[in-house]
Amino acid sequence: QVQLVESGGGLVQAGGSLSLSCSAAGHTFASVDMGWFRQAPGKEREFIATITRGGGNTYYADSVKGRFSISLDGGANTVYLQMNSLTVEDTAVYYCAASLGSWRGTGADPRRPGDYNYWGQGTQVTVSG
């Protein structure tokens, strides 16, 4: 089992920045891939970014590329999402997720919610215009 707890959400003005954190217990980052997703009201859960085990590779959604950055601190068992140049369209509940790697060998990037085995409870990010 992997337990994930997000923090850092809140209210920010458009153009501002926010940093989310996700602390993990139960697995080290050497054995899981870590991702961030978001879900706005009435919309499907959307892939944001992933960092593969040990920080080997990163993947980003086109909608956040160049604005968001995912990183991890293995010593603190924490993964971060730095969000810059926020817009009102970034308003959503943000979820941290961990993947045991079922996507490996499929030829696809780990961008689907089904690629992830464990989820945090989510943290609200609201961007005001």
Side-chain angles (χ1 to χ4, degrees):
Q1 283 287 338
V2 179
Q3 293 82 41
L4 305 172
V5 178
E6 303 97 335
S7 61
L11 175 64
V12 64
Q13 288 189 336
S17 299
L18 209 58
S19 181
L20 304 183
S21 301
C22 173
S23 61
H27 270 271
T28 68
F29 288 146
S31 59
V32 294
D33 309 308
M34 298 299 299
W36 285 95
F37 288 74
R38 68 187 180 189
Q39 189 164 19
K43 295 188 176 181
E44 295 185 350
R45 193 162 294 192
E46 176 190 14
F47 168 77
I48 297 299
T50 288
I51 187 164
T52 59
R53 54 197 62 183
N57 291 297
T58 56
Y59 304 91
Y60 292 95
D62 288 343
S63 59
V64 306
K65 199 173 294 183
R67 300 189 299 125
F68 290 12
S69 178
I70 189 171
S71 62
L72 63 83
D73 181 341
N77 246 28
T78 300
V79 62
Y80 303 97
L81 184 69
Q82 177 64 40
M83 305 184 293
N84 300 323
S85 302
L86 287 162
T87 73
V88 293
E89 287 74 30
D90 295 315
T91 295
V93 177
Y94 283 69
Y95 296 91
C96 173
S99 172
L100 298 177
S102 61
W103 60 275
R104 294 174 183 276
T106 66
D109 297 338
R111 298 172 182 264
R112 303 172 304 172
D115 292 328
Y116 294 80
N117 305 91
Y118 304 101
W119 294 84
Q121 82 288 351
T123 185
Q124 176 71 46
V125 171
T126 302
V127 184
S128 63

